[in-house]
Amino acid sequence: MQRLTLISSPLCPFVQRAVIALKEKTEPFDIVYVDLADKPDWFLKISPLGKVPVLKVERENAEPAIVFESAVILEYLEETVPGPKLHPEDALDRAQHRSWIEFCSQMLGDFWRLTTAKSEPESTAALATLGDKLQRLEMVVAGPFFSGASFSNVDAAFAPLFRQIDMLEAVVDIGFTRRLPRVDAWRRVLLARQSVQEAVPADYAQRYLSHLRERGGYILQERD
Ligand SMILES: N[C@@H](CCC(=O)N[C@@H](CS)C(=O)NCC(=O)O)C(=O)O
């Protein structure tokens, strides 16, 4: 038996990966939010990189243990939590899934650069980088989920990115996936998934949009 506590921030897409995996497996867990703008000492003590997510694992007769980095947390949950398998059986398939999870992490960075870019050229460059990666995804997505009929950790990793894209598209008509039928369909399937919808606080949309505006990126200034 283990007791799991996820140290979180309400808007963080990396935390959502773990929440989605836990919900897919219907595993109970606690969640504790920290203010990343004013990180408490207890958090800095347990988070070596000063980032969320951090998973605290409490087991009988053992000191609480800490696991950090979202992709590593997903691996740990897969190995220790019962419920549906979110990683393929085959080693090569598993390795490829890990590769695409890393690809998604890079895209989250690209998306951050897009929404914080302060000038038109920077913004255009970030948009092109994201567009290229989305096109590459179009070539590998099987549908309805990333690798076919069953939901996997790759889906858990990408769903928070698609949520952010949705939020931005609610105010800016970019049509990120307009000409990418496979990614477009995949994105919709993920955002309709219960585990994905329940992975954020009820006021997420409102908070995320105001956070986006606070970033002061060119892409939103143009539309104010
Ligand atoms: N590579 C990390 C990235 C996590 C990350 O960037 N978390 C952000 C919030 S979304 C954070 O904690 N930022 C605080 C900071 O960098 O000071 C992972 O996959 O877990």
Side-chain angles (χ1 to χ4, degrees):
M1 278 298 285
Q2 60 181 1
R3 184 187 164 140
L4 301 173
T5 306
L6 201 54
I7 319 301
S8 174
S9 166
L11 301 181
C12 177
F14 297 97
V15 172
Q16 289 171 42
R17 294 172 164 185
V19 176
I20 292 167
L22 284 159
K23 287 187 179 285
E24 288 289 331
K25 290 176 180 291
T26 61
E27 179 73 1
F29 63 99
D30 292 319
I31 192 154
V32 172
Y33 292 102
V34 290
D35 180 357
L36 291 174
D38 183 18
K39 297 173 188 167
D41 286 344
W42 65 263
F43 171 68
L44 290 170
K45 275 193 194 122
I46 63 167
S47 176
L49 295 173
K51 294 182 184 206
V52 294
V54 167
L55 181 70
K56 186 164 85 171
V57 182
E58 292 170 285
R59 294 185 294 184
E60 271 171 47
N61 307 319
E63 287 293 306
I66 292 300
V67 184
F68 59 101
E69 284 295 313
S70 61
V72 181
I73 293 171
L74 289 181
E75 298 275 346
Y76 178 73
L77 295 176
E78 183 66 7
E79 287 173 18
T80 63
V81 172
K85 288 287 165 207
L86 300 179
H87 235 1
E89 284 284 316
D90 179 73
L92 182 56
D93 290 343
R94 260 199 323 275
Q96 290 183 316
H97 276 218
R98 291 182 185 116
S99 301
W100 287 106
I101 289 171
E102 174 55 28
F103 188 80
C104 175
S105 298
Q106 301 285 327
M107 287 185 78
L108 283 164
D110 296 334
F111 190 82
W112 169 271
R113 278 182 284 283
L114 171 65
T115 55
T116 53
K118 294 292 184 296
S119 67
E120 203 258 330
E122 265 182 283
S123 188
T124 306
L127 207 47
T129 304
L130 264 174
D132 287 349
K133 289 204 176 77
L134 285 166
Q135 260 177 13
R136 198 170 267 270
L137 270 178
E138 179 75 8
M139 295 187 267
V140 293
V141 174
F145 297 110
F146 175 75
S147 61
S150 52
F151 189 95
S152 73
N153 273 338
V154 181
D155 298 293
F158 273 94
L161 170 67
F162 289 135
R163 194 195 317 272
Q164 291 191 336
I165 288 179
D166 244 36
M167 290 287 110
L168 183 59
E169 284 185 344
V171 280
V172 187
D173 181 25
I174 293 177
F176 276 100
T177 57
R178 206 173 275 150
R179 287 179 198 81
L180 304 172
R182 283 167 180 268
V183 177
D184 198 62
W186 180 37
R187 163 187 176 182
R188 285 172 211 293
V189 165
L190 291 186
L191 292 177
R193 185 96 174 164
Q194 191 177 351
S195 63
V196 172
Q197 291 184 353
E198 290 178 353
V200 288
D203 60 351
Y204 172 89
Q206 183 198 342
R207 284 174 81 150
Y208 187 73
L209 275 176
S210 70
H211 172 73
L212 265 187
R213 292 191 190 284
E214 277 162 25
R215 287 185 190 173
Y218 174 85
I219 198 153
L220 278 168
Q221 279 168 20
E222 282 299 282
R223 275 88 183 173
D224 280 344

